[in-house]
Amino acid sequence: MTRLAEGTSEFDAVQHVDLHGHRVSYRTAGSGPVVLLVHGIAGTSEQWADVAPLLAEEYTVVAPDLLGHGQSAKPVGDYSLGAYAVSLRDLLVVLGHRRATIVGHSLGGGIAMQFAYEFPVFAERLVVVSSGGLGREVHPILRAATLPGAELVLPWLAHQRVLGAGGAVGQVLARLGLRAGPDIAEMARGYSSLGDAEARAAFLHTVRAVIDYTGQRVNAADRLYLTSLLPSLIVWGRRDPLIPATHGEFAHGEMPGSRLVIFEEAGHFPHLDDPIRFAAVLREFLEETDPTELEFTDHDIDELRERMLQHSAA
């Protein structure tokens, strides 16, 4: 049995698996029903380090580095929401997990919604946190990454001399309206991860798959009614400068039976602003809801068809 160093947790150990010829890195801890934690753009599984041990007391936590991020491979390929959803499904299968509650932050929220839509038999519950894909508005700093010439600016922002020059990136981000604390720290860390050409290319492909210069161009609003098929939770920071909390309030109105929790003092990263409360909210949701048990029998197909036809006729 491997012994952990003092002050570390099971979740701290990064593991790797080969999927379709590409390395996928992930962290896992605990035992019980599976909770799949999906980070946002330019993030990594490490963002869940304060939340995962609290969940692992009763659940199996799995948190991957998405392809193009962290220690996972950064191949030339498809960085769409659909491709990410498939890779998550395949990771669950390889790790021997049949179903999971999927929790997605920011870009990960869009991926989580796509996962639940594409693979409903794998999704027990849906949790979106400061999620993309629920409206047009998004901070100009992300829209700027879609503009011609972004390829030339990113190497400068990610250069170690710039990052070390008195917190230059953090100062720029503060001027752009990002809050001190997790918002600036995580955005700066995200930029620092783009130091090599492969990481920058993956970042730009990912951003441009969901955003253009006018804002978010991928929107799940027309299918949100289908989330009535599974328990759903929406978590947002009221002071989110990247994606406004009004998107979460809108989604709550369009997702029958969903729960909405607003962290009034948090920004774009409520799970980092207040990980203890976040874990408590998530555990309460898990304990008080029953996982959906769609198996796509003839009855399930008929029910899904009826919901679609009713929505189209409304």
Side-chain angles (χ1 to χ4, degrees):
M1 177 178 178
T2 302
R3 299 192 60 169
L4 297 172
E6 186 175 353
T8 66
S9 72
E10 181 185 3
F11 186 78
D12 292 325
V14 180
Q15 302 182 53
H16 311 281
V17 65
D18 186 272
L19 279 181
H20 314 304
H22 303 300
R23 184 178 73 172
V24 174
S25 300
Y26 67 96
R27 302 167 192 261
T28 188
S31 61
V34 180
V35 179
L36 179 63
L37 303 174
V38 187
H39 64 76
I41 195 163
T44 71
S45 57
E46 189 177 2
Q47 287 184 350
W48 303 104
D50 292 334
V51 172
L54 302 175
L55 298 176
E57 296 171 2
E58 297 183 33
Y59 301 94
T60 297
V61 179
V62 178
D65 287 350
L66 295 171
L67 282 177
H69 296 73
Q71 298 184 42
S72 288
K74 301 166 181 66
V76 176
D78 185 356
Y79 287 95
S80 65
L81 296 182
Y84 277 129
V86 170
S87 67
L88 291 179
R89 189 275 314 271
D90 293 349
L91 177 63
L92 287 177
V93 170
V94 167
L95 295 182
H97 301 311
R98 179 66 179 83
R99 310 180 75 222
T101 293
I102 182 163
V103 182
H105 169 252
S106 198
L107 172 75
I111 296 170
M113 288 186 286
Q114 186 72 25
F115 180 95
Y117 178 71
E118 286 191 38
F119 309 113
V121 296
F122 282 85
E124 292 188 334
R125 301 175 187 82
L126 171 66
V127 182
V128 294
V129 184
S130 304
S131 179
L134 296 171
R136 290 287 291 171
E137 295 88 353
V138 68
H139 196 283
I141 196 171
L142 292 175
R143 300 204 308 267
T146 70
L147 297 174
E151 295 87 345
L152 303 177
V153 177
L154 284 177
W156 179 84
L157 285 175
H159 197 285
Q160 290 301 314
R161 291 182 181 176
V162 174
L163 293 170
V169 172
Q171 294 172 25
V172 170
L173 294 174
R175 293 191 192 104
L176 291 173
L178 273 77
R179 300 171 60 246
D183 286 348
I184 287 181
E186 287 305 310
M187 289 294 290
R189 183 182 302 180
Y191 279 119
S192 71
S193 73
L194 306 180
D196 66 83
E198 288 183 343
R200 289 195 297 273
F203 170 79
L204 290 171
H205 284 308
T206 302
V207 172
R208 291 168 177 173
V210 293
I211 297 173
D212 61 25
Y213 71 95
T214 66
Q216 297 187 68
R217 63 187 185 88
V218 175
N219 195 326
D222 59 345
R223 300 177 205 170
L224 289 179
Y225 69 96
L226 292 175
T227 61
S228 62
L229 296 171
L230 75 169
S232 301
L233 170 67
I234 303 162
V235 180
W236 226 282
R238 177 68 70 191
R239 300 184 180 185
D240 190 336
L242 295 180
I243 306 174
T246 52
H247 288 199
E249 293 167 340
F250 162 78
H252 177 51
E254 298 294 314
M255 297 168 66
S258 63
R259 299 187 183 189
L260 172 65
V261 178
I262 300 291
F263 285 40
E264 294 294 338
E265 301 301 319
H268 189 61
F269 299 87
H271 54 303
L272 295 177
D273 269 297
D274 194 344
I276 294 176
R277 182 188 173 198
F278 181 89
V281 166
L282 185 51
R283 286 181 62 164
E284 180 180 48
F285 171 68
L286 293 168
E287 291 166 1
E288 294 182 355
T289 58
D290 294 323
T292 187
E293 296 185 358
L294 282 178
E295 296 181 3
F296 267 67
T297 61
D298 288 344
H299 173 75
D300 293 325
I301 293 292
D302 289 342
E303 181 181 357
L304 180 60
R305 176 177 179 273
E306 187 64 25
R307 288 177 187 269
M308 290 181 175
L309 290 175
Q310 288 176 352
H311 185 77
S312 298

